[in-house]
């Protein structure tokens, strides 16, 4: 309804502008302030004032007079407020919203017949997922979810760095050291056991005698050369390490949850010859030079060169990533990559080089994010001293469990919630609080994670929104059944109308979040929706409404709210508990 009404408003404006010989290239459609009853407004009169040689309010009135509301779906009337045109909906807008909200798929948009690959996380498989990088899988998963809800055919990819020096060092260390040489793992899971070899190897290379280091470096170089040469035995050796570590990382990411359709290894593009093909084409470009013992690409507007081939004929990560992205373009209509802020230069070099190689880089979009800090300061992955994502999630569940137990009211106690119920709610609330707090901020803004804010049941947080869903479920459980048809004319109070207006916006929010690759817009919407539902709940009795018609309409409003909250949270990757 929201999107259909916006289309009606656009058509009405275009028609009015054309009838008055005004250009139709910029309609100035926007959502008005909350205190304005209209769903849409237009500031187009500002732009036309000079051409019309008239003040904006007069131009706005002229355009309003040219619009016959009866000609357009959902349009009741056009009001003029100074220089603004305000577009108000008719009753069918609210009726159709309530009907659409009764569907559990409310908010999902029609299929767009467009494929998109979303690459996110892609942390090097050298050990546990670090909490400072947790923003990547959380944002990436939410971006993919928003695109999926918006009707795109989405694949979620994890690009595995299995060919660089880090993995060569890891493989050498895994084969060089014994279990007895290592400390106890922090957790009994694959990546925690394996990371001990990686750390031991790096410490050895920093501290051992020069002759021992030289010998180790020769073995590491042999692994790199074996990968470059396509040696099958070398692939198997490295693959054993990579796959073992990835197995544990997958278990960690599944806790969020963040799951993937495919783990694409960079060695794929060495083995199929596409990296060699890219190197040959790069050498033919005007900006290609051989200097400082390496092939490099110079740019007109990027200060730092792109090194794409070392003197020993080994390729680099970015070289292989160029082949990877051309593979994406061959298999998908569009590509989205979620990257940390420290990869901005690399992303710029990559995009520019892809363009020089003849690719349409308008098909590639990047979501750049800043890192997550804890109150005590920025966390580091060096030497294994940082906080792991598992630690954060465990702490979240523990804190949520305490909060849930403290807040259990007499009604819930009478329901005899068992330990399994408490654990379920603690997990849903705790992990939901982490995801929501991180994804609700604009990605480019650095954030400091604070428990008190994230787990605040009274403030605008995940528990606050989740509680609305639980409350909706409780009301609907007490009602025997919903009426097949609910009459919106019985929803007359300000709280009811405000809530249904917010519900109507949901498909538009999904569309905008997907278009802008900004899932935090959905989080912002959930807070508005939760506020308006709570106002409705306080002011409008549902099960004890004055008459059957009002009760039926309010129950339909509760059902629509339940579906909107559940699906909005689903986009954010947050579970919607049925009880709390």
């Amino acid at each position: 309804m929201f999107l259909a009404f916006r289309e009606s408003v656009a058509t009405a404006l275009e028609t009015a502008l054309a009838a008055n010989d005004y250009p139709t290239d910029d309609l100035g459609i926007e959502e008005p302030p909350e205190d304005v009853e209209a769903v849409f407004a237009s500031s187009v009169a500002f732009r036309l004032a000079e051409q019309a040689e008239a003040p904006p309010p007069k131009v706005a009135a002229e355009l309003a007079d040219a619009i016959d509301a009866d000609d357009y779906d959902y349009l009741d009337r056009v009001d003029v407020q100074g220089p603004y045109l305000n577009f108000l909906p008719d009753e069918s807008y609210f009726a159709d919203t309530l009907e659409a909200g009764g569907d559990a798929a409310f908010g999902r948009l029609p299929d767009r017949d467009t494929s998109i690959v979303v690459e996110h996380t892609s942390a090097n498989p050298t050990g546990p997922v670090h909490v400072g990088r947790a923003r990547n899988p959380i944002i990436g998963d939410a971006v993919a979810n928003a695109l999926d809800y918006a009707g795109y055919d989405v694949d979620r990819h994890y690009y595995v760095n299995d060919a660089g020096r880090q993995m060569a060092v890891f493989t050498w260390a895994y084969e060089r050291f014994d279990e007895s040489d290592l400390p106890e793992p922090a957790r009994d899971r694959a990546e925690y056991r394996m990371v001990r070899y990686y750390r031991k190897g790096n410490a050895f290379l920093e501290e051992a005698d020069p002759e021992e280091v030289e010998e180790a470096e020769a073995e590491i170089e042999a692994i790199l050369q074996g990968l470059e040469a396509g040696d099958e035995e070398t692939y198997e050796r490295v693959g054993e390490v990579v796959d073992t570590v990835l197995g544990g990382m997958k278990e960690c990411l599944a806790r969020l949850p963040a799951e993937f359709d495919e783990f694409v290894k960079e060695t794929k593009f060495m083995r199929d010859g596409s990296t060699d093909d890219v190197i040959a084409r790069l050498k033919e470009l005007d900006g290609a030079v051989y200097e400082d013992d390496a092939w490099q690409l110079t740019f007109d507007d990027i200060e730092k060169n792109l090194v794409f081939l070392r003197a020993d004929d080994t390729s680099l990560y970015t070289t292989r990533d160029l082949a990877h992205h051309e593979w994406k373009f061959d298999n998908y209509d569009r590509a989205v990559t979620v990257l940390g802020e420290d990869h901005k230069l690399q992303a710029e070099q990559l995009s520019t080089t892809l363009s020089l190689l003849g690719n349409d880089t308008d098909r590639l979009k990047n979501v750049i994010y800043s890192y997550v800090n804890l109150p005590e300061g920025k966390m580091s992955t060096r030497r294994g001293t940082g906080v792991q994502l598992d630690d954060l999630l465990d702490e979240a569940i523990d804190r949520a469990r305490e909060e849930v137990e403290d807040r259990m009211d007499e009604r819930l106690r009478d329901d005899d919630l068992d330990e399994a119920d408490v654990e379920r709610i603690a997990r849903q609330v705790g992990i939901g609080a982490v995801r929501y707090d991180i994804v609700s901020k604009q990605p480019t803004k650095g954030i400091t994670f604070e428990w008190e804010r994230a787990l605040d049941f009274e403030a605008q947080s995940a528990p606050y929104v989740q509680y609305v869903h639980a409350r909706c479920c409780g009301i609907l459980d007490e009602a025997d059944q919903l009426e097949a048809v609910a009459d919106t004319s019985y929803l007359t109070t300000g709280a009811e109308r405000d809530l249904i207006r917010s519900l109507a916006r949901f498909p538009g929010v999904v569309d905008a979040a997907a278009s802008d690759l900004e899932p935090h817009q959905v989080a912002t919407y959930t807070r508005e929706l939760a506020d308006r539902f709570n106002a409705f709940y306080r002011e409008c009795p549902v099960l004890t409404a004055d008459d059957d018609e009002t009760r039926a309409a309010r129950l339909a409003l509760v059902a629509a709210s339940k579906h909107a909250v559940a699906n909005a949270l689903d986009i954010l990757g947050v579970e919607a508990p049925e009880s709390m």
Side-chain angles (χ1 to χ4, degrees), residues 325-372:
H325 275 76
E326 290 194 326
W327 173 80
K328 290 182 185 180
F329 293 151
D330 287 342
N331 290 277
Y332 297 92
D333 298 315
R334 290 171 49 193
V336 175
T337 309
V338 182
L339 297 166
E341 60 188 359
D342 56 338
H343 287 79
K344 289 177 70 173
L345 173 61
Q346 176 188 323
E348 186 179 9
Q349 290 178 324
L350 181 77
S351 179
T352 301
T353 305
L354 285 168
S355 182
L356 291 173
L357 289 172
N359 297 281
D360 177 11
T361 52
D362 287 340
R363 297 165 59 193
L364 173 64
K365 300 296 180 185
N366 295 317
V367 177
I368 305 292
Y369 66 92
S370 185
Y371 292 114
V372 178

Side-chain angles (χ1 to χ4, degrees), residues 375-395:
E376 56 267 26
K378 192 166 185 177
M379 295 166 287
S380 170
T381 58
R382 293 184 63 82
R383 299 181 182 273
T385 58
V387 178
Q388 310 304 341
L389 177 57
D390 280 309
D391 300 330
L392 183 70
L393 298 182
D394 286 349
E395 181 76 6

Side-chain angles (χ1 to χ4, degrees), residues 472-488:
C472 289
C473 291
I475 294 171
L476 295 172
D477 284 346
E478 287 191 49
D480 293 335
Q481 62 183 19
L482 297 179
E483 297 295 331
V485 178
D487 189 343
T488 55

Side-chain angles (χ1 to χ4, degrees), residues 46-277:
F46 281 110
R47 176 174 62 84
L48 301 174
E50 183 177 353
Q51 177 183 341
E53 298 181 346
K58 183 176 180 181
V59 177
E62 178 184 28
L63 293 173
D65 289 341
I67 296 175
D68 184 350
D70 292 338
D71 293 339
Y72 304 100
D73 291 340
Y74 297 129
L75 182 58
D76 180 57
R77 68 181 191 276
V78 183
D79 287 349
V80 175
Q81 185 177 11
Y84 289 96
L85 290 150
N86 292 324
F87 296 83
L88 286 84
D90 61 18
E91 194 61 29
S92 67
Y93 177 79
F94 300 106
D96 286 358
T97 294
L98 204 59
E99 181 179 354
D103 188 342
F106 181 49
R108 284 196 174 273
L109 305 184
D111 182 21
R112 298 177 188 250
D113 193 27
T114 301
S115 62
I116 300 181
V117 56
V118 177
E119 177 201 333
H120 68 83
T121 308
S122 300
N124 290 339
T126 53
V129 180
H130 183 264
V131 75
R133 302 272 178 173
R135 207 170 185 183
N136 197 314
I138 290 172
I139 292 175
D141 190 59
V143 166
N145 292 341
L147 290 166
D148 178 52
Y149 265 79
Y152 295 98
D153 182 10
V154 180
D155 273 357
R156 297 158 170 84
H157 283 190
Y158 187 121
Y159 186 49
V160 182
N161 178 358
D162 66 334
R165 175 179 165 80
Q166 284 182 312
M167 296 317 303
V169 169
F170 203 157
T171 302
W172 162 80
Y174 180 64
E175 296 171 348
R176 166 69 173 76
F177 299 105
D178 294 324
E179 172 78 22
S180 59
D181 298 326
L182 308 174
E184 287 295 312
R187 290 173 186 261
D188 186 20
R189 205 170 65 208
E191 77 273 39
Y192 288 91
R193 294 191 295 270
M194 293 294 289
V195 74
R196 299 174 299 159
Y197 293 96
Y198 182 65
R199 292 172 182 163
K200 179 73 174 179
N202 279 305
F204 179 91
L205 295 173
E206 289 181 7
E207 301 166 2
D209 294 336
E211 290 185 2
E212 292 181 303
V213 172
E214 183 178 355
E215 181 182 347
E217 289 289 0
E219 295 175 11
I220 293 166
E221 180 63 23
I223 294 172
L224 286 170
Q225 291 291 347
L227 291 173
E228 206 73 36
D231 179 66
E232 193 64 35
E233 181 184 353
T234 304
Y235 282 126
E236 290 178 3
R237 291 165 60 197
V238 174
E240 179 184 355
V241 172
V242 171
D243 292 342
T244 303
V245 176
L246 272 179
M249 295 173 75
K250 290 177 188 178
E251 290 186 44
C252 173
L253 293 169
R255 299 182 67 190
L256 282 172
E259 297 181 347
F260 298 87
D261 296 296
E262 189 171 352
F263 286 77
V264 182
K265 293 183 176 179
E266 63 175 321
T267 50
K268 166 186 175 68
F269 307 104
M270 300 167 70
R271 303 178 79 171
D272 67 7
S274 55
T275 299
D276 290 338
D277 175 69

Side-chain angles (χ1 to χ4, degrees), residues 450-495:
E450 296 176 354
W451 291 112
E452 291 75 13
R453 180 189 63 222
L455 285 168
D456 191 341
F457 279 65
E458 306 300 330
Q460 294 181 332
S461 60
Y464 178 74
V465 178
Q466 288 174 309
Y467 198 80
V468 168
H469 183 267
R471 177 164 278 164
C472 289
C473 291
I475 294 171
L476 295 172
D477 284 346
E478 287 191 49
D480 293 335
Q481 62 183 19
L482 297 179
E483 297 295 331
V485 178
D487 189 343
T488 55
S489 67
Y490 287 90
L491 302 175
T492 58
T493 68

